[in-house]
Amino acid sequence: MTDAFTFILPTDIRYGKDITSELSSLLQERQIQQVLLVTDPGILKTPLVDKVIGYIKTAGAQVAVFSEVSPNPRDTEVSEGARLGKEANAQAIVAVGGGSPMDCAKSINVLMSLGKDSIKEFEGSGKVPGPLSPYFAIPTTAGTGSEVTWSSVINDTDNHYKMTIKSTYMAATVALVDPMLTLTVPPAITASTGMDALTHAIEAYTAKNANPISDALALQSIELICRSLVTAYRESDNLHARDEMMMGSLLGGMAFSHSDVASVHCMAEALGGSLDLPHGLCNSILLPYVMEFNAPAAINKFSHIAAAMGLDFQSESEGAEKAVGFVKDLAAKVELPQLKELAVTPDDFPQMAAIAMKNGSTPSNAREISETDYLNLFHKAYQA
Ligand code: NAD
């Protein structure tokens, strides 16, 4: 008998070519006259922001633009964005970008809607007391799935780590997901964001709170990403590959929202928070080592992952081993660096292991894990 579980889907998901044009009617239906648009300096240089501003104006609404979002968004940027939103009397938020603008927008919405100044008081799960202003997410990377998750990962600049703020109230009201928007993503970002999406799916599938619906979403996500990441990386204008990556990222986001991520993310957030590195790159570096560590505790699930990757194997343990090898090969094919190539030394690992241990997703890991295990895994990844 299946264990009892709940599956919540707070976001209206709309997918397809030119779907962002629906923003006009979504704003009109809600009689929204003032919008805060959250993006980053890179997206601001593309024609996309002007296009979205056009959709907002077609709805008869005014727009204030906040574009000071860093790749690992900071608590100070959240406060600044909320200040601008309050000053403009914004009634809704539109985020255009990858996980950084989308996460920043979610946290800005908390402060803007509740009249608060610092996001730190909402760190953790379930601390947001009630409904927020409407929030529309327009993802431009295929990686984080933030358009369908209800968490926001923000850098605590005083304590140098990435905190998570989690509440279903923070989920996007509507996600407008168009894979065409990812055609301009440069190869290195396609690689790291794609490995991020794969990590979500693998961790969601093996995390302790997985359920049959998150499992189905995660396996399909693994299949799509493993089939299309190398093509999306090598042929940036291959729409079929971009489409499969966008769908893989979306399904992975839905899966991990329900089951959780686990130790790869705990380590990656400690590493990325300290060194301000791309989140997907950190995940990619650590994923195979955590898979190896976890395999004995969930050998059956790791063999399903191998099957979703399209691998042939005779036994569950062979499948698990091949799945780890596949992930290492994939990271090499998309030319992502190894841990020892980054500005990190083994002296940094004890502190990172301690931070990883405190991460709220540590208890979700398939296999029980200690601070010493985290330390050993950092060393193992460094020796690769
Ligand atoms: P990102 O949003 O930081 O973007 C990376 C770079 O890509 C930026 O310079 C941006 O300008 C550029 N870019 C984005 N889209 C582009 C496009 N279409 N064309 C050209 N350039 C483009 O990267 P990301 O990996 O999407 O997001 C990372 C953040 O998301 C991290 O802070 C991470 O912790 C967070 N995250 C959140 C969740 C969640 O559920 N909330 C899940 C995973 C990761």
Side-chain angles (χ1 to χ4, degrees), residues 279-323:
H279 172 71
L281 168 62
C282 299
N283 276 335
S284 170
I285 285 170
L286 299 161
L287 177 61
Y289 304 99
V290 176
M291 285 172 76
E292 256 166 6
F293 174 84
N294 282 341
I299 196 77
N300 167 267
K301 283 209 144 182
F302 278 97
S303 71
H304 298 163
I305 289 172
M309 288 171 167
L311 303 172
D312 288 326
F313 51 91
Q314 301 302 319
S315 65
E316 288 180 339
S317 56
E318 192 197 354
E321 205 177 303
K322 282 194 168 178

Coordinates of all heavy atoms in Angstrom, one line a residue, residues 279-323:
H279 N 25.5 27.9 -9.2 CA 24.8 26.8 -8.4 C 24.9 25.5 -9.1 O 25.2 24.5 -8.6 CB 23.4 27.3 -8.1 CG 22.6 26.2 -7.5 ND1 22.8 25.8 -6.2 CD2 21.5 25.5 -7.9 CE1 21.9 24.8 -5.9 NE2 21.1 24.6 -6.9
G280 N 24.6 25.5 -10.4 CA 24.5 24.3 -11.2 C 25.9 23.7 -11.3 O 26.0 22.4 -11.3
L281 N 26.9 24.5 -11.4 CA 28.3 24.0 -11.5 C 28.6 23.2 -10.2 O 29.2 22.1 -10.2 CB 29.3 25.2 -11.7 CG 30.8 24.9 -11.5 CD1 31.2 23.8 -12.5 CD2 31.6 26.1 -11.7
C282 N 28.3 23.8 -9.1 CA 28.6 23.2 -7.8 C 27.8 21.8 -7.7 O 28.4 20.8 -7.3 CB 28.1 24.1 -6.6 SG 29.0 25.7 -6.6
N283 N 26.6 21.8 -8.1 CA 25.8 20.6 -8.1 C 26.5 19.5 -9.0 O 26.6 18.3 -8.6 CB 24.4 20.8 -8.6 CG 23.5 21.3 -7.6 OD1 23.7 21.0 -6.4 ND2 22.4 22.0 -8.0
S284 N 26.9 19.9 -10.2 CA 27.5 19.0 -11.1 C 28.8 18.4 -10.6 O 29.0 17.2 -10.8 CB 27.8 19.8 -12.4 OG 28.6 19.0 -13.3
I285 N 29.6 19.1 -9.9 CA 30.8 18.6 -9.3 C 30.6 17.6 -8.3 O 31.3 16.6 -8.2 CB 31.6 19.8 -8.8 CG1 32.3 20.7 -9.9 CG2 32.7 19.4 -7.8 CD1 32.9 22.0 -9.5
L286 N 29.6 17.8 -7.5 CA 29.4 17.0 -6.3 C 28.4 15.8 -6.5 O 28.5 14.8 -5.8 CB 28.8 17.8 -5.1 CG 29.8 18.9 -4.8 CD1 29.1 20.0 -4.0 CD2 31.0 18.4 -3.9
L287 N 27.6 15.9 -7.6 CA 26.5 14.9 -7.8 C 27.1 13.4 -7.9 O 26.5 12.6 -7.1 CB 25.8 15.2 -9.1 CG 24.7 14.3 -9.5 CD1 23.6 14.1 -8.5 CD2 24.0 14.8 -10.9
P288 N 28.1 13.1 -8.7 CA 28.4 11.7 -8.8 C 29.0 11.1 -7.5 O 28.7 9.9 -7.2 CB 29.6 11.7 -9.8 CG 30.0 13.1 -10.0 CD 28.9 13.9 -9.6
Y289 N 29.6 11.9 -6.6 CA 30.2 11.4 -5.4 C 29.1 11.1 -4.4 O 29.1 10.1 -3.6 CB 31.3 12.4 -4.9 CG 32.3 12.6 -5.9 CD1 32.2 13.7 -6.8 CD2 33.2 11.5 -6.2 CE1 33.1 13.8 -7.8 CE2 34.0 11.6 -7.3 CZ 34.0 12.8 -8.1 OH 34.9 12.9 -9.2
V290 N 28.1 12.0 -4.3 CA 26.9 11.8 -3.4 C 26.1 10.6 -3.9 O 25.6 9.7 -3.1 CB 26.1 13.0 -3.3 CG1 24.8 12.7 -2.4 CG2 26.9 14.2 -2.7
M291 N 26.0 10.4 -5.3 CA 25.3 9.2 -5.8 C 26.0 7.9 -5.4 O 25.3 7.0 -4.9 CB 25.2 9.3 -7.3 CG 24.3 10.3 -7.9 SD 24.4 10.5 -9.7 CE 23.6 9.0 -10.3
E292 N 27.3 7.9 -5.5 CA 28.1 6.7 -5.1 C 27.8 6.4 -3.6 O 27.6 5.3 -3.2 CB 29.6 7.0 -5.2 CG 30.2 6.4 -6.4 CD 31.6 6.9 -6.7 OE1 32.1 7.8 -6.0 OE2 32.1 6.6 -7.8
F293 N 27.9 7.5 -2.8 CA 27.7 7.4 -1.3 C 26.2 6.8 -1.0 O 26.1 5.9 -0.2 CB 27.9 8.7 -0.6 CG 27.6 8.7 0.8 CD1 28.5 8.3 1.8 CD2 26.3 9.2 1.3 CE1 28.2 8.4 3.1 CE2 26.0 9.2 2.7 CZ 27.0 8.8 3.6
N294 N 25.2 7.3 -1.8 CA 23.9 7.0 -1.5 C 23.4 5.6 -2.1 O 22.5 5.0 -1.6 CB 22.9 8.0 -2.1 CG 22.8 9.3 -1.2 OD1 23.2 9.2 0.0 ND2 22.4 10.4 -1.8
A295 N 24.1 5.2 -3.1 CA 23.6 4.0 -3.8 C 23.3 2.8 -2.9 O 22.3 2.2 -3.1 CB 24.7 3.6 -4.9
P296 N 24.2 2.4 -1.9 CA 23.8 1.3 -1.1 C 22.5 1.4 -0.4 O 21.8 0.4 -0.2 CB 25.0 1.2 -0.1 CG 26.1 2.0 -0.7 CD 25.4 3.1 -1.5
A297 N 22.0 2.6 -0.1 CA 20.8 2.8 0.6 C 19.6 2.8 -0.3 O 18.4 2.7 0.2 CB 20.8 4.1 1.4
A298 N 19.8 2.9 -1.6 CA 18.6 3.0 -2.5 C 19.0 2.4 -3.9 O 18.7 2.9 -4.9 CB 18.2 4.4 -2.7
I299 N 19.6 1.2 -3.8 CA 20.1 0.6 -5.0 C 19.1 0.4 -6.1 O 19.3 0.6 -7.3 CB 20.9 -0.8 -4.7 CG1 21.8 -1.2 -5.8 CG2 19.9 -1.9 -4.3 CD1 23.1 -0.4 -5.8
N300 N 17.9 0.0 -5.7 CA 16.8 -0.2 -6.6 C 16.4 1.1 -7.4 O 16.3 1.1 -8.6 CB 15.6 -0.7 -5.8 CG 14.3 -0.8 -6.4 OD1 13.6 0.2 -6.3 ND2 14.1 -1.8 -7.1
K301 N 16.4 2.2 -6.6 CA 16.0 3.5 -7.3 C 17.2 3.9 -8.2 O 16.9 4.5 -9.3 CB 15.7 4.5 -6.2 CG 14.3 4.3 -5.6 CD 13.8 5.6 -5.1 CE 12.3 5.7 -5.4 NZ 11.6 6.9 -5.0
F302 N 18.4 3.7 -7.8 CA 19.5 4.1 -8.7 C 19.5 3.3 -10.0 O 19.9 3.8 -11.0 CB 20.9 4.0 -8.0 CG 21.1 5.3 -7.1 CD1 20.8 5.3 -5.8 CD2 21.5 6.4 -7.7 CE1 21.0 6.4 -5.0 CE2 21.7 7.6 -7.0 CZ 21.4 7.6 -5.6
S303 N 19.0 2.0 -9.9 CA 18.9 1.2 -11.2 C 17.8 1.8 -12.1 O 17.9 1.8 -13.3 CB 18.8 -0.2 -10.9 OG 17.5 -0.5 -10.4
H304 N 16.7 2.3 -11.5 CA 15.7 3.0 -12.3 C 16.2 4.2 -12.9 O 15.9 4.5 -14.1 CB 14.5 3.4 -11.4 CG 13.8 2.2 -10.7 ND1 13.0 2.4 -9.7 CD2 13.8 0.9 -11.0 CE1 12.5 1.2 -9.3 NE2 13.0 0.3 -10.0
I305 N 17.1 4.9 -12.2 CA 17.7 6.1 -12.8 C 18.5 5.7 -14.0 O 18.5 6.4 -15.1 CB 18.6 6.9 -11.7 CG1 17.6 7.5 -10.7 CG2 19.5 7.9 -12.4 CD1 18.4 8.1 -9.5
A306 N 19.3 4.6 -13.9 CA 20.1 4.2 -15.0 C 19.2 3.8 -16.2 O 19.6 4.1 -17.4 CB 20.9 2.9 -14.6
A307 N 18.1 3.2 -15.9 CA 17.2 2.9 -17.0 C 16.7 4.1 -17.7 O 16.6 4.2 -18.9 CB 16.0 2.0 -16.5
A308 N 16.3 5.1 -16.9 CA 15.8 6.4 -17.5 C 16.9 7.1 -18.3 O 16.6 7.8 -19.2 CB 15.3 7.3 -16.3
M309 N 18.2 6.8 -17.9 CA 19.3 7.4 -18.7 C 19.5 6.6 -20.0 O 20.3 7.0 -20.8 CB 20.6 7.3 -17.9 CG 20.6 8.3 -16.7 SD 22.0 8.0 -15.6 CE 22.0 9.5 -14.7
G310 N 18.8 5.5 -20.2 CA 18.9 4.7 -21.4 C 20.1 3.7 -21.3 O 20.5 3.2 -22.4
L311 N 20.5 3.4 -20.1 CA 21.7 2.5 -20.0 C 21.3 1.0 -19.9 O 20.2 0.7 -19.4 CB 22.5 2.8 -18.7 CG 22.9 4.3 -18.6 CD1 23.5 4.6 -17.3 CD2 24.0 4.6 -19.7
D312 N 22.2 0.1 -20.4 CA 22.0 -1.3 -20.3 C 22.7 -1.9 -19.1 O 23.9 -1.5 -18.9 CB 22.5 -2.1 -21.5 CG 21.7 -1.8 -22.7 OD1 20.4 -1.7 -22.6 OD2 22.2 -1.7 -23.8
F313 N 22.1 -2.7 -18.3 CA 22.8 -3.3 -17.1 C 22.1 -4.6 -16.7 O 21.0 -4.9 -17.1 CB 22.8 -2.3 -16.0 CG 21.4 -1.8 -15.6 CD1 20.6 -2.4 -14.7 CD2 21.0 -0.6 -16.3 CE1 19.4 -1.9 -14.4 CE2 19.7 -0.1 -16.0 CZ 18.9 -0.7 -15.0
Q314 N 22.9 -5.5 -16.1 CA 22.4 -6.8 -15.7 C 21.9 -6.9 -14.3 O 21.1 -7.7 -14.0 CB 23.6 -7.9 -15.8 CG 24.2 -7.9 -17.2 CD 23.1 -8.3 -18.3 OE1 22.3 -9.1 -18.0 NE2 23.1 -7.6 -19.4
S315 N 22.4 -6.0 -13.4 CA 22.0 -6.1 -12.0 C 21.8 -4.7 -11.5 O 22.3 -3.7 -12.1 CB 23.1 -6.8 -11.1 OG 24.3 -5.9 -11.1
E316 N 21.1 -4.5 -10.4 CA 20.8 -3.2 -9.8 C 22.1 -2.5 -9.5 O 22.3 -1.3 -9.8 CB 19.9 -3.3 -8.6 CG 18.5 -3.7 -8.9 CD 17.6 -3.8 -7.7 OE1 18.1 -3.9 -6.6 OE2 16.4 -3.7 -7.9
S317 N 23.1 -3.2 -8.9 CA 24.3 -2.6 -8.6 C 25.1 -2.1 -9.8 O 25.7 -1.0 -9.8 CB 25.2 -3.4 -7.6 OG 25.4 -4.7 -8.3
E318 N 25.1 -2.9 -10.9 CA 25.7 -2.5 -12.1 C 25.0 -1.2 -12.7 O 25.7 -0.3 -13.1 CB 25.7 -3.6 -13.1 CG 26.6 -3.3 -14.3 CD 26.3 -4.2 -15.6 OE1 25.4 -5.1 -15.5 OE2 26.9 -3.9 -16.6
G319 N 23.7 -1.2 -12.6 CA 22.9 0.0 -13.0 C 23.4 1.2 -12.3 O 23.6 2.3 -12.9
A320 N 23.4 1.1 -10.9 CA 23.8 2.2 -10.1 C 25.2 2.7 -10.5 O 25.4 3.9 -10.6 CB 23.7 1.8 -8.6
E321 N 26.1 1.8 -10.7 CA 27.5 2.1 -11.0 C 27.5 2.9 -12.4 O 28.2 3.9 -12.5 CB 28.3 0.9 -11.1 CG 29.8 1.0 -10.8 CD 30.5 -0.3 -10.9 OE1 30.1 -1.2 -10.1 OE2 31.3 -0.5 -11.7
K322 N 26.8 2.3 -13.3 CA 26.8 3.0 -14.6 C 26.1 4.4 -14.6 O 26.5 5.2 -15.4 CB 26.0 2.1 -15.6 CG 26.8 0.9 -16.1 CD 26.2 0.3 -17.3 CE 27.1 -0.7 -18.0 NZ 26.5 -1.4 -19.2
A323 N 25.1 4.5 -13.7 CA 24.5 5.9 -13.6 C 25.5 6.9 -13.1 O 25.5 8.0 -13.6 CB 23.3 5.8 -12.7

